[in-house]
Amino acid sequence: MVFIILFGVVAISFIVFSIQMEAYKEAAHKGTEERKNRLVEYLSYQDQYWGMLFGNPKNFPLYHEGLDSHIKRVRISLFVASGSFFALFIYIIVANGL
């Protein structure tokens, strides 16, 4: 039962992270022209998306002042998703090891 609850928390937290990440990507391109090809856009700007999350966002050309709130929300949801995954991992080790 605990496994199912923890797995549900992990799944929901990664879904929330995914939704926040997509909103962050949309906000990054808000001031530019309409995106034409999502696959090309996804692959070409991926380094800037993650760089703005883990580095100084002001060093990237996609950054504008409206992204600060999005970056903060994505960082928090990534932290929660990673923490819940780590908790599930520890639970599996302890439950099967004891």
Side-chain angles (χ1 to χ4, degrees):
M1 184 69 175
V2 174
F3 175 77
I4 294 172
I5 293 171
L6 281 176
F7 186 78
V9 168
V10 169
I12 289 171
S13 63
F14 272 100
I15 289 170
V16 169
F17 168 70
S18 176
I19 292 169
Q20 293 290 336
M21 189 70 172
E22 187 59 32
Y24 162 61
K25 289 177 183 178
E26 291 291 330
H29 290 280
K30 187 170 254 177
T32 62
E33 69 278 350
E34 187 64 31
R35 299 184 334 189
K36 295 173 181 69
N37 188 343
R38 285 187 167 262
L39 181 61
V40 171
E41 175 270 324
Y42 181 77
L43 295 175
S44 63
Y45 293 112
Q46 196 66 18
D47 60 334
Q48 291 188 39
Y49 296 144
W50 290 101
M52 284 191 286
L53 285 179
F54 294 113
N56 186 2
K58 296 176 182 165
N59 292 338
F60 295 93
L62 274 180
Y63 176 76
H64 53 83
E65 292 298 321
L67 282 180
D68 290 334
S69 64
H70 289 283
I71 290 172
K72 184 176 181 181
R73 280 188 275 171
V74 171
R75 283 179 181 167
I76 290 170
S77 63
L78 178 63
F79 177 74
V80 169
S82 300
S84 62
F85 180 76
F86 183 69
L88 178 65
F89 182 71
I90 295 298
Y91 171 76
I92 290 172
I93 290 173
V94 169
N96 291 329
L98 297 179

